[in-house]
Amino acid sequence: MAGFFRSLFQPRHSSASIAKERLKIVLAHERAGRNAPDFLPMLQKELLAVVGRYVEMSDDMIRVTLANSGDISSLEINIEIEGAKLKTPSGPALNAAV
Amino acid sequence: MAAETDLKKDAPIGPAKAGGEAGLAKVIVITSGKGGVGKTTTSAAFAAGLALRGHKTVVIDFDVGLRNLDLVMGCERRVVFDFINVINGDANLNQALIKDKRHDNLFIFPTSQTRDKNALKREGVERVMEELKQQFEYIICDSPAGIEHGAITALYFADSAIIVTNPEVSSVRDSDRIIGILASRSRRAERNEPPVDVHLLLTRYDPARVAKGEMLAVEDVKEILSIPLLGVIPESESVLRASNTGTPVVFDENSPAGRAYVDAVARFLGEQREMRFVQPERRSFFKAIFGRA
C-alpha cells in the first residue's frame, strides 16, 4: 500500500528508481560472472587447438563467454578468422575471406 | 519506548557465563566492502547492545594499521597490547583485552598500528578465536573496508554476517560482492558446512528523502540484495556525537539511531520487533515554528 502511494506521488523517473534499475542490471551481470563455471578457459584452449588445425590462429582470435539473461543461459563462442591463413593439407595456403 | 524498559530489565547483575563451555560462542562479522558506511559504529553499537542484553561480548578490530575501534569505544588511552602482539605471542589474551568501563559484559580487543597488512596470519587468528570462544558468548569482528587480506580474514571465521549498507548504488554493489565472497571464501564455505547466515543492516537511512524519490527505499535494497533485513538505522546527528565522545550509540537512550540498534540486536536474538524510523517524521506544529527542538 505504501508502495502504491509512493508510486502515485513520486515522479516516475525519480533518481531512486533509476538507481534501482541500474543496480539490477549491473548486479545481474556481475553475479553471472561470479558463478561462471571454470571450464571456460579449458574449452577456449581446446577450441583454439581444433580450429587451429585448419586455420592459423592466435590466442586473441577466440572468445568464449557465458551469458545469463532471465531463464536463458547462452554460451557465446566468437572466432575471428578474417585475414587468417587457411591450412590445407595439399597445395598452398589460401587467404580466408569471411 | 519498549526498548528502553527492556534494556533495564535485561541488564544483568553480574557477568554472564561464557558460551565456550556449551560450544555456543558465535562469531559475527560486521562487513560491507565499501568504506565509510558505518561498520565501526555498528560494531561498537552491536557489541554494546549484546552486552546490555546480558551476553558476554568481545569486539575485535580487524583493520590493521588503521586502528579506530578504540576511539569509537572510548578506550584509546588504555591500549597497551594488541591483536598482533597476541598472535605473535608477545602478550597473552587477557593482557590485551580491554574491559569496558560502562558494562561488565563488554570487552574491546584493539588492533595494531603496524603497516604490515599481512601480520594477521590465519593460523594465529584461528588460535586466538578458539581462545576467545572459551571466554565469550559473542565475538564481533569489525572488518576493514575492501576485499583484501584483512577483510577476508575478518569474515573467514564467521558464523553470522551483518552486511552494513547505505541506500546508495556503490554501497549496494559492494555489499553484493561481499555476500558472494562470504558464500565462497568463508571457512564454512570451504568446509561445506551450513553457510554463514547473512543479515542486511541499512544505515544512514533518510525516510524523508526516500519519500521524495531521492533515495533507495529499504524495500528496494532488500529486493536487490535478497537477504533478510535485520534493521534500518536512520541518519542521525547522535551518531557523530557518540563517536565524538567515544560512546557506543546504544548508550544514548534519546538517540533514534541508538534505539534502532537496540531493536536490531533484539531481532538478532530472535525477537520480533516492528521496524521504526522508516517513515518520514511528522513535523509537529511546534517544531515547524521553532525549528529543531
Side-chain angles (χ1 to χ4, degrees):
Chain A
M1 200 63 184
F4 170 74
F5 279 113
R6 228 180 53 223
S7 60
L8 203 69
F9 293 114
Q10 219 173 70
R12 209 136 40 107
H13 297 290
S14 70
S15 65
S17 59
I18 296 168
K20 187 180 178 184
E21 284 317 304
R22 290 175 61 219
L23 272 170
K24 277 185 166 175
I25 292 163
V26 72
L27 291 185
H29 211 81
E30 288 177 356
R31 284 170 188 160
R34 192 188 299 157
N35 301 324
D38 10 323
F39 66 75
L40 286 187
M42 195 49 134
L43 177 66
Q44 179 160 337
K45 213 172 141 194
E46 287 183 27
L47 281 170
L48 188 70
V50 172
V51 180
R53 265 184 242 151
Y54 304 93
V55 185
E56 279 185 22
M57 298 271 303
S58 63
D59 290 358
D60 59 348
M61 291 162 75
I62 186 162
R63 261 196 322 275
V64 180
T65 49
L66 192 72
N68 287 310
S69 56
D71 300 338
I72 302 161
S73 300
S74 63
L75 183 65
E76 192 180 309
I77 300 170
N78 234 301
I79 303 173
E80 174 202 334
I81 58 166
E82 195 174 357
K85 283 180 178 169
L86 280 182
K87 283 180 181 171
T88 42
S90 59
L94 299 166
N95 278 340
V98 180
Chain B
M1 278 141 278
E4 281 88 338
T5 41
D6 277 2
L7 265 176
K8 291 190 184 99
K9 189 178 72 197
D10 294 332
I13 316 291
K17 65 174 186 293
E21 305 147 66
L24 292 171
K26 203 166 188 182
V27 181
I28 308 167
V29 63
I30 313 291
T31 186
S32 68
K34 191 175 182 301
V37 296
K39 281 182 298 296
T40 302
T41 299
T42 299
S43 298
F46 222 77
L50 284 166
L52 283 167
R53 294 294 305 261
H55 300 287
K56 199 176 176 196
T57 304
V58 61
V59 54
I60 313 176
D61 192 347
F62 272 83
D63 203 347
V64 176
L66 293 169
R67 178 161 81 203
N68 273 322
L69 181 69
D70 56 339
L71 268 178
V72 173
M73 293 294 292
C75 63
E76 67 277 8
R77 296 175 63 183
R78 298 168 65 202
V79 177
V80 183
F81 295 110
D82 59 48
F83 201 0
I84 306 298
N85 293 141
V86 176
I87 286 175
N88 294 340
D90 301 329
N92 67 43
L93 190 57
N94 291 319
Q95 285 175 299
L97 286 175
I98 301 171
K99 189 170 187 295
D100 190 89
K101 284 188 168 157
R102 292 152 296 214
H103 207 288
D104 283 347
N105 285 337
L106 184 56
F107 289 78
I108 300 105
F109 195 3
T111 194
S112 154
Q113 284 287 47
T114 172
R115 291 172 69 183
D116 177 11
K117 289 278 173 193
N118 295 318
L120 283 179
K121 299 263 185 303
R122 189 166 286 175
E123 301 71 37
V125 176
E126 182 166 21
R127 207 188 64 235
V128 174
M129 284 289 190
E130 287 311 313
E131 209 177 322
L132 286 168
K133 281 183 179 182
Q134 301 304 312
Q135 293 189 38
F136 293 95
E137 285 176 88
Y138 289 100
I139 300 165
I140 310 285
C141 305
D142 181 18
S143 172
I147 49 172
E148 304 297 318
H149 179 74
I152 303 296
T153 311
L155 66 80
Y156 185 73
F157 298 97
D159 299 308
S160 297
I162 294 173
I163 315 294
V164 183
T165 307
N166 290 170
E168 178 270 323
V169 287
S170 51
S171 174
V172 175
R173 182 197 217 169
D174 291 359
S175 291
D176 191 71
R177 188 80 198 280
I178 239 17
I179 293 165
I181 291 172
L182 275 158
S184 61
R185 296 186 60 186
S186 63
R187 184 164 77 170
R188 281 175 171 267
E190 279 183 5
R191 291 181 174 179
N192 279 321
E193 288 171 0
V196 177
D197 77 306
V198 291
H199 305 268
L200 172 62
L201 188 78
L202 203 56
T203 56
R204 309 202 69 167
Y205 195 68
D206 186 339
R209 299 201 73 184
V210 172
K212 282 191 235 160
E214 294 174 358
M215 182 181 269
L216 285 165
V218 54
E219 301 85 30
D220 296 339
V221 181
K222 228 178 106 176
E223 182 192 328
I224 293 165
L225 293 178
S226 53
I227 57 172
L229 179 68
L230 185 66
V232 178
I233 312 299
E235 175 80 69
S236 165
E237 292 168 6
S238 53
V239 173
L240 182 57
R241 207 160 52 227
S243 81
N244 283 343
T245 56
T247 317
V249 72
V250 291
F251 288 123
D252 181 354
E253 294 189 3
N254 298 315
S255 155
R259 287 183 297 174
Y261 274 116
V262 168
D263 284 354
V265 170
R267 286 187 206 104
F268 188 84
L269 295 173
E271 274 177 41
Q272 297 280 336
R273 287 205 184 178
E274 207 184 322
M275 290 288 166
R276 300 192 275 177
F277 317 110
V278 288
Q279 298 302 325
E281 202 181 325
R282 268 183 241 107
R283 281 173 76 84
S284 68
F285 176 70
F286 202 72
K287 266 192 184 174
I289 291 176
F290 297 105
R292 275 176 293 137

